[in-house]
Amino acid sequence: MRKREIHIVGNWKMNQTLHEISQFFVEMTKMKMELKCKAWIAPQAIHIPILKEIAFTTGTIQIGAQNCCEHDSGAFTGEISPLALADLGVEFVIIGHSERRTIYKEDNELLNKKILKALSHDLKIIYCVGEALEEREANLTNNVLEKQLREGLANFPVEKSHLLIIAYEPVWAIGTGKTASAEQAEDAHAFIRSCLPHDSEETIILYGGSVKPDNIDSLLRKPNIDGALVGGASLKASDFRQLCSSASIAM
Ligand code: PEP
């Protein structure tokens, strides 16, 4: 019996047209699986309302955002307001994805502001951390993770710890087809759990980085891995369904 519920979270990034979205859900409903895990999807922000509506009708998947602003409103052209996300009834927001850190130069200080603002609206946070290849090779993985957690989670209100989910995503494994071994991921997850600023036994820690139907089982066998944040393999309904059924069996 697992202590924590398994979560399978699809990060659709900047993909999917309306037609592809409707195909995805047609295939998901055809599959009629009994979900025992949590199945979440973060589509492009522009598609959140439509996905919320479809997800409400099909009743299986919860919808979140891939990013949000550190402010609620104002002159921030192109940004995504956490207040508006909460207003829409969005379940969660991903903060600090490595693509935001590297392409958009978001640092721990900014990510901390985003986290605290999103939390003020009781949004669940998936905070992404992970080392680059050179950092792993230089034996710096734990130093990098510790800094990302300490700075990103500064002033985290302990009474909101149930809203925090961590995603360990080694940068070298995202979208590359290289997965961390289950042992490498387990070591990082155990370390992350030991760094959290509150009683971390309840905290969900996801693994992300080229998770596929054929490698999820070994990851989910590890005690500190509570699910996956999935990019590429979440775009196809058959793969996403397979990941959710592996997770349901592992529950
Ligand atoms: C991600 O985008 O968070 C991710 C892990 O992508 P992929 O599964 O494609 O590596």
Side-chain angles (χ1 to χ4, degrees):
M1 184 64 185
R2 295 182 72 102
K3 279 197 220 145
R4 298 169 290 269
E5 208 167 4
I6 299 181
H7 289 53
I8 302 294
V9 184
N11 172 15
W12 280 1
K13 310 193 186 192
M14 203 171 71
N15 294 301
Q16 304 288 54
T17 61
L18 285 178
H19 177 69
E20 287 164 338
I21 290 172
S22 80
Q23 285 299 110
F24 181 94
F25 277 93
V26 167
E27 285 178 44
M28 285 298 284
T29 19
K30 259 199 254 153
M31 293 166 183
K32 281 204 184 20
M33 60 172 165
E34 214 190 289
L35 271 187
K36 294 213 187 86
C37 65
K38 294 272 187 202
W40 291 359
I41 286 178
Q44 305 185 54
I46 196 170
H47 289 147
I48 289 174
I50 180 101
L51 254 97
K52 286 238 18 126
E53 216 172 293
I54 305 175
F56 179 74
T57 330
T58 54
T60 44
I61 292 177
Q62 289 181 326
I63 306 304
Q66 299 172 11
N67 175 34
C68 73
C69 185
E70 72 278 25
H71 302 286
D72 276 340
S73 59
F76 302 101
T77 303
E79 283 292 331
I80 303 163
S81 154
L83 172 63
L85 291 176
D87 218 22
L88 274 175
V90 160
E91 192 71 19
F92 67 95
V93 55
I94 299 172
I95 295 182
H97 189 278
S98 75
E99 286 149 22
R100 302 293 319 173
R101 289 178 185 267
T102 52
I103 305 171
Y104 299 100
K105 310 285 177 238
E106 297 189 357
D107 61 13
N108 294 332
E109 195 187 332
L110 173 65
L111 298 173
N112 178 245
K113 289 187 185 146
K114 292 184 177 212
I115 288 173
L116 297 180
K117 184 52 85 176
L119 271 183
S120 75
H121 300 295
D122 286 336
L123 289 162
K124 292 188 178 123
I125 311 292
I126 300 182
Y127 178 49
C128 301
V129 295
E131 80 287 3
L133 186 58
E134 318 78 79
E135 292 164 335
R136 173 160 284 269
E137 286 173 347
N139 249 330
L140 290 173
T141 300
N142 287 357
N143 305 50
V144 172
L145 296 176
E146 189 277 327
K147 185 172 191 308
Q148 289 172 335
L149 291 164
R150 180 170 33 82
E151 295 180 354
L153 299 179
N155 304 313
F156 193 97
V158 77
E159 69 282 5
K160 301 231 173 175
S161 54
H162 59 290
L163 296 175
L164 178 66
I165 293 174
I166 305 290
Y168 168 60
E169 299 208 303
V171 179
W172 48 272
I174 299 178
T176 58
K178 286 186 199 155
T179 331
S181 68
E183 289 67 30
Q184 284 172 321
E186 171 63 15
D187 285 351
H189 282 223
F191 177 74
I192 288 169
R193 207 175 286 291
S194 75
C195 292
L196 293 178
H198 53 264
D199 174 15
S200 61
E201 275 309 295
E202 307 285 311
T203 305
I204 304 288
I205 306 181
L206 308 175
Y207 169 77
S210 298
V211 173
K212 306 260 176 321
D214 62 7
N215 60 24
I216 187 139
D217 292 337
S218 60
L219 290 161
L220 292 181
R221 265 184 232 120
K222 297 292 179 192
N224 282 295
I225 301 181
D226 307 314
L229 178 55
V230 188
S234 68
L235 293 168
K236 254 175 80 189
S238 56
D239 284 349
F240 190 68
R241 188 206 71 107
Q242 185 60 54
L243 293 170
C244 292
S245 45
S246 293
S248 297
I249 292 164
M251 275 299 298

